[in-house]
Amino acid sequence: MKMIDLYDLLDIVKAKYSLTPLDTSSCDNLKVSGMKFDIKAFKAKGLGHISLMSAKGFFGLMKMDTLIITPTELDLPIYSYDRIMAMGNDTLITEMYDTMVSKISFDEVKKVVENYSQLPLRDPGAHWYDDIKLPESISFKGKKAVSADFDELSAQHLKSFLNTPAQQVTDQEAKKARSLYYINGLLEHGGPSTDVFVKALGKEATEMLFHDILFGI
């Protein structure tokens, strides 16, 4: 089973914004719970912070890719893409969290999601952040027969998100506070991925990873 390369998704961002690599050497050779992680981060001029996280483990039976966009210069939501392949299953989860100071609509993103309504839905469950998770978020799970559709949807969803007209951030403190509500909430409330990092690295190192590298705030 194959899935779209993270750097293909990064190229979609690069087509609109100039990227500058950031120092992620503190994460080199990171291994957590049998998974080997490769983490990179970039500053996207005019947009904000981008991070990529790829993990492989269990003798190649599990692969996980994550792309996070934390807009600090443009008033867009935090964007989190996760793709997981394990035990013959392909899971696609892309969530948008309302960290905006000024509200906007995501009509183009909504149309993209509607075009893939035939894909097998995954129950995302209930989470503490549901009150800020935007309805254009997606959660699907299926077998390899749907992987090509997942690839297409991943690219189209990201493109439409980046094409959404948004204002430049003028109130930096308000924008930062809304972003930190989500980021600190992950650390406070925990969750599958957060708990794994806390158990392996400790709370302080996990907080540094989240703030300095994954989200850049």
Side-chain angles (χ1 to χ4, degrees):
M1 298 175 73
K2 293 183 179 181
M3 55 189 179
I4 190 170
D5 192 276
L6 271 179
Y7 285 91
D8 289 335
L9 294 177
L10 188 66
D11 283 342
I12 293 173
V13 181
K14 192 187 297 185
K16 290 182 68 73
Y17 300 98
S18 174
L19 301 182
T20 303
L22 301 173
D23 181 14
T24 56
S25 58
S26 60
C27 298
D28 288 352
N29 303 312
L30 179 63
K31 293 182 180 179
V32 177
S33 297
M35 303 284 287
K36 183 178 180 180
F37 285 79
D38 180 23
I39 301 175
K40 304 296 181 188
F42 305 84
K43 175 178 173 55
K45 186 177 180 180
L47 176 62
H49 184 88
I50 316 288
S51 66
L52 306 179
M53 181 169 64
S54 182
K56 297 179 181 178
F58 303 103
F59 307 101
L61 296 176
M62 183 172 182
K63 178 176 171 58
M64 179 180 69
D65 281 350
T66 298
L67 177 144
I68 300 170
I69 300 175
T70 308
T72 55
E73 299 179 54
L74 204 59
D75 197 12
L76 284 170
I78 285 179
Y79 187 94
S80 176
Y81 159 90
D82 287 296
R83 186 78 175 273
I84 305 162
M85 286 192 170
M87 310 303 177
N89 293 311
D90 189 352
T91 302
L92 169 62
I93 305 166
T94 302
E95 296 182 330
M96 296 160 53
Y97 305 104
D98 185 0
T99 55
M100 298 176 290
V101 178
S102 301
K103 305 307 178 187
I104 57 175
S105 61
F106 294 89
D107 293 339
E108 187 176 339
V109 184
K110 184 178 180 180
K111 289 178 182 177
V112 168
V113 176
E114 290 172 349
N115 288 339
Y116 289 87
S117 60
Q118 79 283 2
L119 294 178
L121 290 172
R122 167 188 171 273
D123 182 1
H127 302 281
W128 67 268
Y129 50 74
D130 286 342
D131 62 328
I132 62 166
K133 187 173 75 172
L134 295 173
E136 292 78 14
S137 301
I138 54 177
S139 181
F140 295 110
K141 184 176 182 178
K143 300 295 184 179
K144 64 180 180 180
V146 297
S147 292
D149 287 331
F150 282 7
D151 288 348
E152 291 176 4
L153 174 54
S154 299
Q156 292 301 318
H157 196 277
L158 178 58
K159 287 178 182 177
S160 58
F161 168 77
L162 293 172
N163 286 336
T164 300
Q167 300 288 329
Q168 290 290 316
V169 175
T170 55
D171 190 338
Q172 292 289 344
E173 287 305 311
K175 181 66 173 174
K176 181 178 180 180
R178 293 187 68 86
S179 298
L180 286 175
Y181 171 79
Y182 172 69
I183 299 164
N184 288 334
L186 288 176
L187 294 164
E188 178 184 349
H189 297 284
S193 58
T194 306
D195 295 345
V196 166
F197 281 119
V198 171
K199 184 177 180 180
L201 306 177
K203 184 177 180 181
E204 184 175 338
T206 301
E207 288 176 349
M208 290 179 62
L209 171 65
F210 276 48
H211 286 292
D212 297 345
I213 295 178
L214 294 183
F215 293 94
I217 295 181

